[in-house]
Each structure stands twice: as C-alpha cells, then as structure tokens.
Amino acid sequence: MELKRVVVTGLGALTPLGNNVSSYWEGLKNGVSGAAPITRFDASKFKTRFACEVKNFNVEDHFDRKEGRKIDRYAQFAVVCATEAILHSGFDLEKINRDRAGVIWGSGIGGLETFQQEVEAFAKGDGTPRFNPFFIPKMIADIAAGHISMKFGLRGPNFATVSACASSTHAIIDAFNYIRLGKADIIVSGGSEAAVNAAGVGGFNALQALSTRNDSPQTASRPFDKDREGFVLGEGAGAMVLEEYEHAKARGATIYAEVVGGGLSADAHHITAPHPEGLGAMNVMRMALEDAYMTPQDIDYINVHGTSTPLGDLAETKAIQKVFGEHAYKVNISSTKSMTGHLLGAAGAIEGLACVLAIVHGIIPPTINHFTDDPELDNKLNLTFNKAQERKVKAALTNTFGFGGHNASIIFKAFEA
C-alpha cells in the first residue's frame, strides 16, 4: 500500500523555559537555564535541592477549582499543552471527522504526585482505608490522553505509551504510523511529566542519577562536560498536531515540518545504564534513517538524549560517530536538556519541538554549561557549545533513551510540497 505523508501543523509547549511555544523557543535560542531551587516542597534534607520546574503555572487559569482537583499535575500539563497545539493548528472541530482524529500521549510515570499524596495520607491515618475516589483515575499514565480526547471530542485512536524517558517519542512515532497507514487524519501527540516532588527527587537521588550541584543549579546540567555528574530533573509537556498531508492541504493548514521516519530498539543490556558501546543507540538511528529513506549525510542537526551523565553522554557520541562516520563532524549536535533539564517521559516531545523549531527558524539551540573538554569524548564534534548557531536545517533527528533500555529516534524534515 502507498503510505500517506505526515506533517506537523500545530505545536504546544509548557516547559521550565516558558509556558508556550514562543517563550520556550526564546529560552532555547538564548541559552537560558530553567534550573532553580525547588519551590514545590521542602527539599532541604534532600541530596538534590533544585530542579527545572514549570514557573507561574496557575491551575485555576485553565481549570475550574473542582475540575482541577480531579486531575493530576502531569495531566493538567497535558491538557493545557495540547490545547495550545490544537489552537495553533487551527483545525475546526465542527468540520473535521472526529472519528478519525485521535490522541496518543506519553508519560514515563504518570500521576506520581497523586500516588505520593494518597499513600502519605493513608500512612498517617489509623489504618482505615480512606482514599480519594479519584486516586486511580488521577494516577494512571493513560488518563492524560483520555482528558485531551474528552475536552475536544476526538474519537479516533486514543492510548498512552510508556517507555520511561522514550515515552513521548514513542507516542509521536505511533501517531506518525497510524496516520501514514491511513487509520487517522489527525493525531494530537506528545507527552507530559510532573515528577518534581519528594518521591521523584528522592527516588532519583537514591539511584545517584541527579546532579547535586546545589551551589550552582543553573550550571548543573552540563552535557559532554568533563565535570558532568548527573541530570537535572525537569517537568512540563510538549505537544504536536500530526496530520495527513492531503487533509492539511485541503483545509489550508500551515505546515511546519514533515515527519519522515522513526526508529525503535532496545539495548537489552541493563535496567538503567546504556550499552557501553551505544549499540541500541546505533541501531535506532540507523532504523530511523532507513525508515525515512535517508542517509547520514541528509541530517543537519541531531538533538541528542544528552542527559549529562558520565556513561550516557559518552555512549551516545560513540554511537553517532559509528552511524554517521565522517559526517558526524559536519552535523550540529546539541543537548537542550542543558537548559530544560530532563523531562523524563516528556523529554522526546519538547526535544522534537526543538527540532521542528530549528528547521523553521534556521537556528541550532546550544548545549550550555560547557566549561571543560572531556578527554574521553571526541572534541572535534560540533556539540554547539554555549551559543546558538545559525544554520539551514533541512532535516533533524532526535534521540531519546529510557530506563529499561528503550530507545526511540525520529526524523523531521523541512516540508516541500
């Protein structure tokens, strides 16, 4: 069968750099850090006392008080972000076939804050099970997709993808596949996460995964730097409206980019550590290129997973060099996690947005906080350190890798009719 073309017609962002797409992009291109001391709970006794929180988010600006109490923060982020993307896309809900419009959404954890609150309340009680009747509907990782579909009456494919930090990239790839196979015309896709709470910070601290640079939060996320020592936890959401090309053309939609390929693989190695030679990362990038009928030479920009961990950054650069060969030195590479922190299951969504925006604006966002070269890394690679670079971007690839060895890569291309 002939596969349909899939284009991006709407964008939404709710991030530590800004609560909409324009402010997110301004923060990225200007190299702004979203890290600061934690405000959402008392972190004074934690090893890590800072994070990349969403700022100035008032639930009552978006939900009435009663409704807001029934929705976990991660799902609130999802609904707000998806709303921006849908409005940005400009499709008329009364004119589209809503049976062919769906939502595929990713979250690595879901309602962690709700889970923490309910268990704490039970533990402090007398043992009588007094749980909030909305405990389960608030907590489950699929409920964000449900809320978006209910708000807009989208009756097409509707589910959640859960693959740790690769969750929202998997969601976008699934949306891409459903549309190109002709099973939907429009899918709102992306991901959200809200794990900046005691359970989230404490759990990642116990894994020794987080930076503990409490004296300098804004410089703590430093991918590829010799002194990197862990990631910075972030929260927020990213959304895209993916649409079948002829459907978008017929309604006169603005097209921002085309989705042309996706790759999926597993490290099959370790629950948290990457394969030391980047085997899974190599495989997933090759699969994405093959799916897109592209060669390494076609890629201008790679938005890397780049979490600022000693093992992860090294393994990913090794994989890029093996897949891209000499072209690895000609492509721009950057980790926007240096600015946003790591949004876990929402990382792929906001980093996919960064790729689309790089294509639209011809600007590569930087990897900030580079102070000292790491002798174990090939420092001839263009890791776009500290300052954005202007470049025409015809095609961009983004990588996301999750605990459990889950890998996903997706390629966006400048749209040509």
Side-chain angles (χ1 to χ4, degrees):
M1 65 178 292
E2 182 180 351
L3 295 175
K4 310 287 188 181
R5 294 177 71 182
V6 181
V7 294
V8 180
T9 58
L11 305 173
L14 181 59
T15 78
L17 302 185
N19 295 4
N20 53 46
V21 170
S22 60
S23 58
Y24 172 52
W25 178 242
E26 285 299 308
L28 284 182
K29 72 180 184 180
N30 291 315
V32 175
S33 171
I38 291 169
T39 64
R40 289 195 51 76
F41 67 98
D42 181 4
S44 59
K45 294 183 180 179
F46 286 70
K47 294 177 186 175
T48 297
R49 299 187 288 278
F50 61 93
C52 286
E53 295 176 314
V54 168
K55 289 118 181 126
N56 303 313
F57 179 78
N58 184 356
V59 176
E60 293 181 12
D61 289 342
H62 308 283
F63 306 89
D64 66 48
R65 184 173 296 182
K66 186 176 180 181
E67 183 186 18
R69 288 201 300 265
K70 297 176 183 177
I71 305 176
D72 185 87
R73 186 174 172 87
Y74 101 94
Q76 294 169 358
F77 288 167
V79 172
V80 171
C81 185
T83 299
E84 181 188 11
I86 289 169
L87 293 174
H88 187 227
S89 182
F91 65 78
D92 188 335
L93 287 166
E94 300 307 315
K95 292 182 179 180
I96 66 167
N97 181 351
R98 285 192 265 185
D99 291 338
R100 291 184 57 80
V103 183
I104 302 177
W105 200 259
S107 183
I109 301 176
L112 183 61
E113 187 158 299
T114 291
F115 187 86
Q116 175 189 300
Q117 289 169 348
E118 291 297 314
V119 172
E120 282 180 341
F122 177 71
K124 290 174 182 176
D126 61 5
T128 303
R130 298 185 182 93
F131 288 90
N132 188 315
F134 294 98
F135 173 25
I136 301 302
K138 286 176 70 175
M139 178 196 72
I140 50 180
D142 65 296
I143 203 67
H147 280 300
I148 296 165
S149 71
M150 287 182 276
K151 177 171 181 176
F152 295 101
L154 307 180
R155 298 185 294 266
N158 185 275
F159 60 89
T161 54
V162 180
S163 50
C165 305
S167 296
S168 53
T169 303
H170 276 118
I172 295 168
I173 292 171
D174 275 0
F176 165 56
N177 284 329
Y178 270 78
I179 294 172
R180 69 173 171 170
L181 289 170
K183 296 180 182 296
D185 300 325
I186 293 174
I187 294 182
V188 181
S189 190
S192 57
E193 206 79 89
V196 180
N197 48 53
V201 175
F204 283 113
N205 266 162
L207 277 173
Q208 299 184 344
L210 297 181
S211 169
T212 57
R213 209 178 296 274
N214 294 299
D215 58 339
S216 184
Q218 292 190 324
T219 67
S221 182
R222 46 180 74 185
F224 311 115
D225 189 87
K226 178 179 178 293
D227 298 319
R228 66 190 182 278
E229 37 87 57
F231 71 80
V232 176
L233 188 60
E235 62 175 3
M240 296 184 187
V241 173
L242 301 191
E243 188 167 354
E244 192 272 321
Y245 167 58
E246 294 295 339
H247 188 276
K249 180 181 175 183
R251 69 178 185 87
T254 299
I255 294 172
Y256 298 95
E258 183 171 0
V259 187
V260 290
L264 315 168
S265 78
D267 280 1
H269 171 68
H270 188 272
I271 58 170
T272 57
H275 190 283
E277 297 302 315
L279 182 61
M282 289 165 52
N283 287 341
V284 80
M285 287 187 280
R286 284 173 176 154
M287 289 175 186
L289 288 165
E290 181 180 344
D291 192 41
Y293 296 96
M294 297 175 83
T295 68
Q297 289 71 32
D298 294 319
I299 302 297
D300 300 302
Y301 171 47
I302 303 173
N303 186 296
V304 290
H305 188 56
T307 57
S308 185
T309 58
L311 295 177
D313 292 3
L314 181 60
E316 189 170 10
T317 53
K318 283 182 180 179
I320 289 169
Q321 288 177 284
K322 288 174 182 175
V323 172
F324 286 81
E326 284 302 310
H327 188 65
Y329 300 100
K330 299 176 182 178
V331 67
N332 272 83
I333 300 166
S334 76
S335 171
T336 48
K337 287 185 180 73
S338 60
M339 296 173 277
T340 65
H342 190 353
L343 270 65
L344 308 178
I350 67 165
E351 289 156 18
L353 291 177
C355 288
V356 172
L357 292 166
I359 289 169
V360 170
H361 297 288
I363 295 174
I364 308 292
T367 305
I368 67 168
N369 296 330
H370 181 72
F371 303 102
T372 309
D373 288 346
D374 183 346
E376 292 192 60
L377 295 175
D378 188 339
N379 290 290
K380 293 180 182 177
L381 294 170
N382 184 359
L383 296 165
T384 321
F385 284 136
N386 296 328
K387 188 176 180 180
Q389 295 178 14
E390 292 187 5
R391 175 173 183 163
K392 184 175 182 180
V393 181
K394 294 181 180 178
L397 177 150
T398 184
N399 288 331
T400 45
F401 312 137
F403 284 177
H406 312 296
N407 307 309
S409 296
I410 192 163
I411 297 174
F412 299 91
K413 183 181 176 183
F415 174 72
E416 297 177 0

